[in-house]
Structure formats: structure tokens, C-alpha cells
Amino acid sequence: HLQFLLLSRLLGRFPGARWIFTDRRDVVAQAVSYAKAVQTQQWRSSAEPQGEPRYDFGTIRRLHQALLADKEGWQGFFRNAKITPLTVIYEDFTERPDDVTGEIIRVLGFPTEPCEVPAVPEIARQGDETNIEWAERFRQEAARQGLNI
């Protein structure tokens, strides 16, 4: 991955930098969400979708493989650079945003005493029943094809 080579060259310019690595336990669900976003150009809940998404095993498979490769690339980068990032799991963040945000603030060394918090725009989860159905269908089709997902 070229981006990791370039990033490695920049490390010396940011001594003492702290790193946050975002991850998902369910990479299939991530690939499904990614596929829907690519098809509809709806990258956030406040945007209007441009068309209807349709299930496509090949697209989800390619995105799943790309997401796994990216994850492996980041893990290799951290390992080679001897960096131990704070890992933020998406599913934990969506279930306990205050706890995860508090941990990020603590690790980054920001003050943790109470302060006035700016208003945060409302963000709605984009995943829906279609995501669940597509993920299950993808897992079933992958298993029938003997793919280790």
C-alpha cells in the first residue's frame, strides 16, 4: 500500500502523535453499508439517496476484500512503526458513544472535567432491515461457494 509508505515517511514530523484506529467487528455489515452508499451516493443519513440500491454479491465481495486488506494494511503499518493505537470499535461507539468518546478524550490527554459541550448535529444510523437481509444473504451465498468470510 503506497499510502502506508508515504505515511511512514511523515512519522518523524509528528513525534508523540497519538493514533486512533477505527474498526468493525462485522466487516460483512460494513461491506453491505459501503455497497449501498456507493450505489445511492448516500454517505450520510442527512443526504438524499440517488436511486435504489440493489443486492450484488460481487460488489459486496470486492468491498469486503478491500476492507479486510485496508485493515491488514493499517495493522501492518502500526506494527512496523511500533505504534499502539487506541482502537475504537464501531459497534461499541454506536452502543455507548459517551463511554467511547470519554476514552478517546482521556487517551488524547484532553481535560476530562465537565465543560460546556457544543451542540452536535443529529446523526441517524443508515443501516436498516435491508442491510441485515443483504448481510445474511451474502453470508449464505459465500458459504455455498466455500468462501471463508
Side-chain angles (χ1 to χ4, degrees):
H1 288 102
L2 181 60
Q3 75 253 26
F4 298 115
L5 292 173
L6 296 172
L7 196 52
S8 294
R9 296 179 79 179
L10 290 175
L11 281 177
R13 295 179 186 234
F14 300 98
R18 284 167 252 147
W19 294 79
I20 300 173
F21 175 64
T22 57
D23 197 8
R24 281 189 75 163
R25 286 186 194 98
D26 190 347
V27 181
V28 169
Q30 185 179 9
V32 165
S33 293
Y34 196 176
K36 285 179 66 179
V38 167
Q39 290 179 20
T40 64
Q41 293 300 297
Q42 186 182 25
W43 299 98
R44 61 185 191 284
S45 58
S46 61
E48 285 296 318
Q50 306 299 308
E52 287 295 316
R54 69 183 201 312
Y55 177 84
D56 184 311
F57 178 86
T59 297
I60 296 169
R61 173 83 170 132
R62 282 188 297 282
L63 292 172
H64 183 261
Q65 289 172 317
L67 289 165
L68 290 174
D70 285 348
K71 180 177 180 172
E72 186 177 303
W74 276 109
Q75 290 171 336
F77 167 75
F78 291 134
R79 191 172 41 257
N80 293 337
K82 297 179 179 27
I83 294 171
T84 303
L86 169 64
T87 299
V88 173
I89 305 296
Y90 168 83
E91 290 86 350
D92 294 344
F93 183 74
T94 59
E95 291 171 16
R96 300 182 325 280
D98 291 342
D99 293 341
V100 174
T101 302
E103 177 68 4
I104 293 168
I105 289 169
R106 187 188 65 70
V107 167
L108 293 179
F110 290 113
T112 57
E113 61 271 356
C115 62
E116 187 176 330
V117 178
V120 177
E122 187 67 32
I123 298 173
R125 183 183 167 109
Q126 287 184 253
D128 57 17
E129 192 62 36
T130 300
N131 291 61
I132 295 167
E133 291 169 9
W134 285 15
E136 182 58 32
R137 181 175 170 186
F138 178 79
R139 286 184 177 95
Q140 290 172 357
E141 289 182 27
R144 280 195 299 274
Q145 294 181 28
L147 301 173
N148 186 17
I149 299 297

